Amino acid sequence: MIDTRLESALSRFEPDEFTRVKAIAESATLDLLKGRGAGSEWLGWRRIVRDPDRDLLGAVRKHAEQIRSESDLLVVCGIGGSYLGAKALVDLFPDKQEDGLQVRFAGYHIGGSALERLIREMETPRPDGEEKRIHINVISKSGSTLETALAFRVLRGWMEKKYGSEAKRRITVTTGPDGGVLNPMVHKLGYKRFVIPEDTGGRFSVLTPVGLLPVAAAGLDIEALFAGAESMAAELERPDIRILTYASARYLLHQAGVSIDVVGSFEPELESLTAWIQQLLGESEGKEGKGIFPVSAAWSTDLHSIGQMVQEGRRNVMETLLVVDQPISNLKVPTDPEDSDGLGYLDGLSFHQINRTALEGTVEAHSEGGVPVVQIHLDRLHEETAGELIYFYEFFTAVYVYMLELNPFDQPGVEGYKKAMYRRLKMEGDGKK
């Protein structure tokens, strides 16, 4: 179950302001539900959940089981929406990897040393002395995104050198239905392929094979994940007070001059999830001089770095906290009869209790310091709840961005850096010929 707590964010606005803006949120919700808003050709993320392809889910699960049975290490090669959602889900459940397949991510930067370290890990024998068995999943709709394409060229060469003609069985391609760079490789070399739907953008693609294959290979229950998304989709088929209130609060804060949203959690397992939300919001709302800049933070760690800025810096900051209500761990503070560290007052308390108290104290201090705080509560950490949250945030993002009179599903500004980068790289390459 997903719950929103917005008292801190809404307390600075008059009731009539909220009522006025809530009507805008209702209109934006209907635009989304009826498919009449900007970018409505990109609503595949709704279609796949409202009309699930059970055969595809089965095929993904079957291939993932094969990867798990034949591999020790899965390297997922992608960038942006082609890896952030999968990493968020894999990192939510680290225990799934303790005794099974390990998942690593590549192709999301241009760091040669990091790629070399990954290859050394691939080449390091297992504890029993046997060679590691490797599988590569490259994810790119076009196949030509520089970071991913470079990494895949290196990794593909390594796989072909190690496995020869058998490399094709250990490389899976997730790409667009046709065109691009990767489809000709699939046809020529015989790689297993999964298709990214044409009507689903990268940051909304986690519930397609883009995210489902890596997380299934990591041992997660993708049927439960999808069931959670389906359940949330059914709840949101009519205007929902959680969406209306959250979108209205963010819109009012945007209008009031808030320009930074610190998205964090006190649970380390959720750190990658905040990075997924950072992309989802950032690419969706940052257009035409509008938008609140999302930045991912890890609490309580970052309270000792940027906590001072949040508490007493410029008052252009809001905070979004992801909270898990049921304990993730049962670890308790042991008793020290001598109380040598002065922590005797915590004897017997669970880390969950201490963490929750730290969260509550932080919310109190930041709210009193003038920071509006939004809390998004998950009742428990489970694949089904994760599916609910993914769909909830996708839906919320679309509604809120429609309120800003923007297209939530394009990212025209991304092309700016690419054009300049490729122009310079071609000049660099031509100069060495």
Side-chain angles (χ1 to χ4, degrees):
M1 185 179 70
I2 306 298
D3 187 25
T4 57
R5 301 183 189 177
L6 302 155
E7 298 83 3
S8 170
L10 289 172
S11 62
R12 62 202 63 230
F13 301 108
E14 296 297 328
D16 61 332
E17 287 184 272
F18 173 73
T19 300
R20 173 182 61 83
V21 170
K22 181 168 170 282
I24 300 174
E26 289 173 339
S27 177
T29 300
L30 292 175
D31 285 344
L32 177 59
L33 290 173
K34 295 180 181 299
R36 64 191 184 199
S40 58
E41 69 272 21
W42 291 99
L43 294 180
W45 57 276
R46 293 198 67 228
R47 173 186 55 77
I48 60 176
V49 174
R50 296 164 66 204
D51 185 21
D53 186 338
R54 304 296 180 191
D55 291 338
L56 176 60
L57 278 175
V60 169
R61 185 185 66 251
K62 182 178 179 181
H63 189 59
E65 289 171 352
Q66 180 181 333
I67 292 173
R68 281 181 65 81
S69 67
E70 297 180 351
S71 308
D72 303 299
L73 190 67
L74 169 64
V75 179
V76 179
C77 191
I79 194 170
S82 293
Y83 96 101
L84 282 169
K87 190 174 191 305
L89 290 169
V90 169
D91 289 353
L92 275 180
F93 305 99
D95 292 350
K96 301 278 187 181
Q97 293 187 74
E98 281 190 352
D99 301 315
L101 176 79
Q102 301 292 302
V103 180
R104 300 290 183 267
F105 293 88
Y108 58 94
H109 53 65
I110 315 177
S113 61
L115 191 55
E116 287 177 324
R117 284 194 297 273
L118 173 60
I119 290 173
R120 284 198 294 273
E121 181 182 359
M122 293 160 61
E123 292 173 343
T124 301
R126 303 183 319 193
D128 63 5
E130 295 293 324
E131 290 187 344
K132 279 199 185 86
R133 301 166 300 167
I134 311 296
H135 197 101
I136 306 290
N137 177 204
V138 59
I139 306 170
S140 176
K141 186 172 278 189
S142 69
S144 58
T145 303
L146 183 64
E147 295 88 340
T148 301
L150 276 175
F152 184 52
R153 175 183 280 202
V154 173
L155 293 170
R156 179 165 50 93
W158 186 92
M159 293 289 283
E160 290 171 351
K161 183 177 179 180
K162 178 177 176 65
Y163 292 110
S165 62
E166 286 298 303
K168 67 181 181 182
R169 290 186 58 254
R170 294 188 167 274
I171 296 176
T172 301
V173 171
T174 307
T175 190
D178 48 46
V181 172
L182 293 173
N183 276 309
M185 290 188 192
V186 169
H187 298 312
K188 180 180 179 180
L189 300 172
Y191 298 147
K192 174 71 175 179
R193 183 187 75 153
F194 287 96
V195 171
I196 305 171
E198 283 281 19
D199 58 0
T200 306
R203 61 187 177 276
F204 289 85
S205 67
V206 63
L207 294 175
T208 74
V210 168
L212 293 176
L213 181 61
V215 304
L220 277 67
D221 183 347
I222 58 172
E223 274 82 6
L225 179 74
F226 221 85
E230 288 181 74
S231 174
M232 181 57 65
E235 292 180 36
L236 300 183
E237 280 301 306
R238 59 193 63 81
D240 183 278
I241 190 61
R242 293 167 298 180
I243 295 290
L244 297 177
T245 308
Y246 186 10
S248 297
R250 191 176 179 88
Y251 179 87
L252 284 166
L253 292 169
H254 179 275
Q255 298 301 99
V258 168
S259 58
I260 298 171
D261 182 7
V262 183
V263 184
S265 177
F266 277 74
E267 305 291 353
E269 290 84 356
L270 273 64
E271 187 173 341
S272 293
L273 185 60
T274 64
W276 175 75
I277 293 172
Q278 176 180 267
Q279 188 211 9
L280 183 67
L281 290 172
E283 283 196 343
S284 297
E285 66 176 303
K287 299 154 196 174
E288 299 181 15
K290 300 177 183 178
I292 299 175
F293 187 89
V295 56
S296 175
W299 302 139
S300 64
T301 304
D302 287 335
L303 289 174
H304 299 265
S305 57
I306 60 172
Q308 172 65 37
M309 176 63 76
V310 174
Q311 186 70 41
E312 294 185 343
R314 293 180 62 189
R315 297 298 78 185
N316 61 343
V317 177
M318 67 174 288
E319 186 174 5
T320 302
L321 290 171
L322 303 181
V323 184
V324 181
D325 290 328
Q326 290 187 14
I328 298 175
S329 165
N330 295 317
L331 182 66
K332 293 185 178 181
V333 178
T335 300
D336 178 359
E338 298 182 3
D339 193 19
S340 54
D341 53 13
L343 295 177
Y345 64 98
L346 297 177
D347 285 357
L349 287 181
S350 71
F351 273 65
H352 175 77
Q353 290 173 285
I354 297 169
N355 207 23
R356 177 54 64 89
T357 303
L359 179 149
E360 292 168 351
T362 300
V363 170
E364 177 184 331
H366 287 180
S367 296
E368 291 178 355
V371 178
V373 181
V374 168
Q375 296 185 57
I376 308 298
H377 283 248
L378 295 72
D379 62 339
R380 57 180 180 146
L381 196 58
H382 183 272
E383 288 97 330
E384 188 170 345
T385 313
E388 292 177 3
L389 184 70
I390 287 167
Y391 191 85
F392 177 88
Y393 250 104
E394 290 175 338
F395 196 98
F396 157 75
T397 298
V399 169
Y400 161 66
V401 177
Y402 275 152
M403 293 176 72
L404 297 179
E405 299 182 336
L406 297 170
N407 181 346
F409 309 112
D410 65 355
Q411 52 279 339
V414 173
E415 297 305 312
Y417 93 87
K418 286 184 178 181
K419 289 177 181 177
M421 177 178 68
Y422 286 129
R423 173 174 48 80
R424 288 173 172 267
L425 286 170
K426 287 178 181 178
M427 289 172 60
E428 186 83 12
D430 290 341
K432 292 189 175 183
K433 289 181 180 178

